[in-house]
Amino acid sequence: MANLNLPGPKARAMIERDHKVISPSYPRSYPFVMDHGKGSEVWDVDGNRFLDFMGGIAVVSTGYSHPKVVKAIQEQAEKFIHISSDFYHENWIKLAEKLDEIAPFKEDALSFMTNSGTEAVETAIKLARYHTKRTNFIGFTGAFHGRTMGAVTFTASKAKYHGGFYPLMNGVTHAPFPNPYRPVLERRKGEDYGEATVRYIEEEILGQIMPPKDVAGILVESIQGEGGYLIPPEGFFPALRKLCDKHGILLIVDEVQSGMGRTGKWWAIEHFGVEPDMLTSAKGIASGMPLGACIARKSVMDWEVGTHGNTYGGNPISCAASLATIDLIEKEYLANAAEVGTYAMDALEEIKARHPSIGEVRGKGLMIGVEFVKDHETKEPAKELTDRVVDLGFERGLLMLSCGKSVIRIAPPLSMTKSEMDEGLKLFEEALTVAEKEVK
Ligand SMILES: Cc1ncc(COP(=O)(O)O)c(C=O)c1O
């Protein structure tokens, strides 16, 4: 396929204007300037068409501008756009009822609605302290939980997120996330690598750094996102749940990226047969309207009136978009994510057999990571190659994003069809073939 020669003239002019007025802190992977989108396709301002393997960083769950989501937004906008969280409205209640129905624990669920994933995490941190009357937490290396002062303290996927911002929140200690592809801890006989990680937490952190009676919660992504689309080994969550129960510590799972049907189940934690005490959601929850939620067991969300709140919580348009989104996921896209995800994993295994630069393909549903290495033995990350594949994909009309040290994440809309997946994987392999020749 011919290269698109990007960015085009209109995109170039807009990027120049952007650089004069927008904060330079935003990381932009490549010069894509959006004009419009439909389903899994997007067009830039110069009329170039792209297939989308990243869904606005795993946000556009029902595809771009799904007519049912658009209709829900339009109808709500005509009625009222805002009322403030000091008052009531039905779509907010309906959404919380739905979240109660799909929450990954048997106990009744209460929800606190937020404007973003970070705010949902911030809410969970505050609630854990309030409920347990304890101060400390355990997080994980490679984690991404957002960028406000509390959440960013837990974020540990790039040193850049902390540099220049100290002092951060007190009382957070990180354990290594159980990455079976790149283990850093010793396993004992009969232990899986997830169980070894939990033993490390018990012996090294709770035994040597801070006593369990001071620990309010353990915050962990059910599948690590920004850290490299890492799936913890089977033994990890059951052992972690047991540890939390033993010491009265809350298990808080961050499902901002992995939740809302992305992995073929409502929540990724459901793949591991464990019930958390709290979870955070955002991204795919409203197809791109700003919305997040901290969802907790009723017995945990016990804070008093006025202790926590916000102006836009339960925003009427976001709630309407979310209800339409959840309905679509429930009726069609949960099953589609599982089916097209398996289909893509099989195809990627075939591509891996043809490309020694691929060290591992891993994923659940439509949350798939392809890890590139310089050498299968040493597993040295092939960062330059990864970045080149992303750029060459863009030039061929495929939007991708990297994560971890040398991973490309495939997180398209949950509505992606098998033929769109075929088209995207063909472009991906073309880009990879060229990159392998260029980057030695
Ligand atoms: C797992 C996880 N938690 C939290 C966040 C932060 O969400 P937001 O960017 O909406 O604040 C992200 C964003 O990428 C995420 O992936």
Side-chain angles (χ1 to χ4, degrees):
M1 187 182 166
N3 287 2
L4 293 173
N5 198 13
L6 298 162
K10 285 187 184 160
R12 239 178 294 134
M14 283 190 203
I15 290 167
E16 216 178 289
R17 282 167 56 203
D18 172 291
H19 287 174
K20 289 186 184 143
V21 288
I22 303 277
S23 162
S25 61
Y26 287 107
R28 265 77 176 268
S29 291
Y30 40 81
F32 174 69
V33 182
M34 177 100 178
D35 183 70
H36 66 284
K38 198 84 209 138
S40 297
E41 296 170 293
V42 290
W43 284 262
D44 76 1
V45 284
D46 293 290
N48 297 303
R49 178 240 183 214
F50 300 80
L51 193 68
D52 186 353
F53 260 13
M54 59 91 206
I57 329 185
V59 169
V60 191
S61 47
T62 58
Y64 289 91
S65 299
H66 192 291
K68 288 188 177 163
V69 178
V70 172
K71 188 160 172 273
I73 291 171
Q74 283 170 338
E75 282 176 2
Q76 182 57 50
E78 277 169 19
K79 283 164 95 185
F80 60 100
I81 293 172
H82 175 77
I83 177 62
S84 125
S85 60
D86 280 8
F87 304 97
Y88 304 88
H89 70 87
E90 192 176 8
N91 279 346
W92 186 7
I93 302 163
K94 271 193 188 165
L95 177 58
E97 286 169 349
K98 195 69 206 175
L99 294 175
D100 173 36
E101 190 188 311
I102 65 173
F105 43 76
K106 282 178 218 80
E107 192 179 324
D108 288 347
L110 298 185
S111 290
F112 182 95
M113 308 315 180
T114 66
N115 305 294
S116 67
T118 307
E119 192 195 347
V121 170
E122 211 64 46
T123 302
I125 297 167
K126 284 182 71 181
L127 179 58
R129 276 191 171 167
Y130 189 92
H131 173 73
T132 61
K133 299 184 180 61
R134 300 177 182 183
T135 51
N136 289 16
F137 289 90
I138 293 169
F140 290 86
T141 55
F144 190 88
H145 297 289
R147 293 177 166 98
T148 53
M149 247 355 165
V152 84
T153 306
F154 289 86
T155 290
S157 52
K158 288 189 183 109
K160 215 179 201 176
Y161 295 141
H162 288 181
F165 300 118
Y166 294 103
L168 303 175
M169 183 181 140
N170 244 330
V172 180
T173 298
H174 290 83
F177 188 83
N179 175 0
Y181 187 64
R182 298 179 185 284
V184 294
L185 300 172
E186 295 252 327
R187 267 197 294 162
R188 280 194 193 143
K189 223 172 159 202
E191 236 178 19
D192 88 356
Y193 188 58
E195 291 164 329
T197 303
V198 175
R199 184 170 50 76
Y200 171 89
I201 292 172
E202 179 147 40
E203 291 174 3
E204 308 299 322
I205 297 183
L206 300 180
Q208 297 191 287
I209 303 175
M210 55 204 197
K213 70 170 181 53
D214 288 333
V215 180
I218 297 181
L219 174 63
V220 58
E221 291 159 271
S222 304
I223 292 179
Q224 205 171 67
E226 158 109 359
Y229 276 32
L230 296 173
I231 303 168
E234 291 291 310
F236 177 63
F237 275 110
L240 198 61
R241 177 73 268 179
K242 229 164 134 184
L243 183 75
C244 286
D245 289 342
K246 182 171 161 193
H247 298 294
I249 296 170
L250 296 174
L251 178 57
I252 308 162
V253 294
D254 185 342
E255 294 263 2
V256 167
Q257 190 151 174
S258 60
M260 273 293 146
R262 173 135 307 274
T263 67
K265 293 189 187 281
W266 280 118
W267 312 105
I269 191 69
E270 292 172 60
H271 291 283
F272 305 104
V274 157
E275 294 193 359
D277 300 303
M278 249 196 258
L279 73 147
T280 54
S281 177
K283 286 196 186 280
I285 194 171
S287 296
M289 285 302 295
L291 182 74
C294 171
I295 306 162
R297 292 175 190 256
K298 194 173 181 182
S299 59
V300 171
M301 197 170 272
D302 58 358
W303 41 22
E304 288 168 37
V305 172
T307 49
H308 192 62
N310 51 15
T311 296
Y312 294 120
N315 172 267
I317 295 183
S318 295
C319 287
S322 182
L323 284 167
T325 298
I326 292 174
D327 192 54
L328 284 164
I329 294 175
E330 188 160 41
K331 291 195 175 121
E332 297 175 52
Y333 300 145
L334 207 54
N336 191 65
E339 193 183 327
V340 179
T342 305
Y343 178 78
M345 287 283 290
D346 290 346
L348 280 162
E349 283 299 341
E350 286 175 24
I351 293 174
K352 177 173 177 263
R354 295 191 284 269
H355 295 272
S357 61
I358 300 180
E360 189 176 61
V361 174
R362 52 184 175 252
K364 293 216 184 275
L366 285 172
M367 185 169 189
I368 300 172
V370 182
E371 176 141 2
F372 296 97
V373 289
K374 290 190 179 168
D375 179 304
H376 275 241
E377 286 276 299
T378 64
K379 296 181 187 169
E380 188 184 337
K383 167 117 188 69
E384 205 187 324
L385 179 85
T386 309
D387 292 343
R388 193 65 193 128
V389 176
V390 171
D391 287 345
L392 288 165
F394 174 59
E395 287 170 20
R396 281 164 175 72
L398 181 67
L399 300 187
M400 293 182 282
L401 281 177
S402 63
C403 58
K405 290 196 179 76
S406 57
V407 179
I408 284 180
R409 54 179 133 182
I410 298 178
L414 306 182
S415 53
M416 180 162 271
T417 62
K418 283 184 187 165
S419 66
E420 286 169 334
M421 183 54 77
D422 282 338
E423 183 193 343
L425 290 177
K426 190 161 170 279
L427 294 174
F428 166 75
E429 190 172 7
E430 276 178 26
L432 176 58
T433 305
V434 176
E436 280 173 339
K437 285 186 192 130
E438 282 183 16
V439 183
K440 289 291 167 205

